[in-house]
Amino acid sequence: MADIEKNLADVRKRIEIAAKKSGRCADDVTLVAVTKTHPAEMINEAIDCGVRDIGENKVQEILEKYDKVKKGVRWHLIGHLQTNKVKYIIDKVYMIHSVDSVKLMDEIERQAEKHGVSQIKILIEVNISGEETKFGIAPSEIDEMLDHAKALKCVKVCGLMTILPKIDSGISNRLHFHNIYNKFVDISQNKYDNIDMEFLSMGMSGDFEMAIEEGSNMVRVGTAIFGERDYS
Ligand SMILES: *Cc1c(COP(=O)(O)O)cnc(C)c1O
């Protein structure tokens, strides 16, 4: 059994140290506790230890756990979202991290309107490493997405998200983090309508310190809090 309280304290300490290295404080970094495959009881234990942001990568898992998890938390959808499933979670999630097409943005807008959700925060998922198997758009497509978002009423683009390949020397991953941070800053300075570059979601258990050092302000951490996942 994972000692969630101890692991959380450890992760928070590491966030604080990494944030200091980049001239910030721990409060500048939002910790999203990634709870996929874990039962509601474990999520509630984490909530008792102060966790307020919960990350799941599947619509189905959010639906299964939603009523069993304590209220007052913010659900983040961090995994790939199919357009036909937007309707199930539109009134449940605080933020969708994985928006990678104009079509998906439009469906989120449509369902938000239909369900009376006046604002839904989204992040644009960027595939910065160029890895073929990953979801996410190429950096060169970001402008098109931002342009499209200008006209939307409920959808609010509030940042970028990226996932990096796990198996790596680490040196090139640092460069990828650095490059997307620069992109994030560029967009912030351009001041697009309806775009508020508030969050840069990058960093997982294996690389969150490096991500924070390179400018991340939202990390998605699962294993380091809850232990290894059992997919059997
Ligand atoms: C599972 C997952 C994480 C967390 O991964 P860990 O290595 O367990 O910290 C972060 N982001 C996404 C998109 C995930 O699917």
Side-chain angles (χ1 to χ4, degrees), residues 102 105 124 141-152 157 192-195:
V102 163
M105 254 200 251
I124 295 176
E141 297 169 310
I142 298 176
D143 283 345
E144 187 196 332
M145 295 273 282
L146 296 178
D147 259 344
H148 188 82
K150 280 183 199 164
L152 304 179
V157 177
Y192 284 83
D193 289 344
N194 192 31
I195 314 284

Side-chain angles (χ1 to χ4, degrees), residues 74-154:
R74 309 191 293 192
W75 291 81
H76 297 246
L77 184 73
I78 60 174
H80 183 66
L81 175 60
Q82 289 169 285
T83 47
N84 63 351
K85 293 195 175 156
V86 174
K87 57 179 176 282
Y88 301 122
I89 46 108
I90 189 70
D91 58 351
K92 298 191 168 56
V93 297
Y94 165 74
M95 193 186 288
I96 301 172
H97 289 226
S98 43
V99 178
D100 61 358
S101 73
V102 163
K103 189 172 146 235
L104 180 57
M105 254 200 251
D106 283 343
E107 177 63 8
I108 295 170
E109 176 77 13
R110 202 171 74 87
Q111 293 297 338
E113 239 170 40
K114 200 170 155 187
H115 288 83
V117 175
S118 59
Q119 194 191 78
I120 173 83
K121 291 177 189 285
I122 70 158
L123 305 180
I124 295 176
E125 182 175 354
V126 182
N127 178 351
I128 195 81
S129 70
E131 229 201 347
E132 271 175 33
T133 54
K134 285 268 157 50
F135 294 109
I137 61 164
S140 60
E141 297 169 310
I142 298 176
D143 283 345
E144 187 196 332
M145 295 273 282
L146 296 178
D147 259 344
H148 188 82
K150 280 183 199 164
L152 304 179
K153 292 192 178 63
C154 310

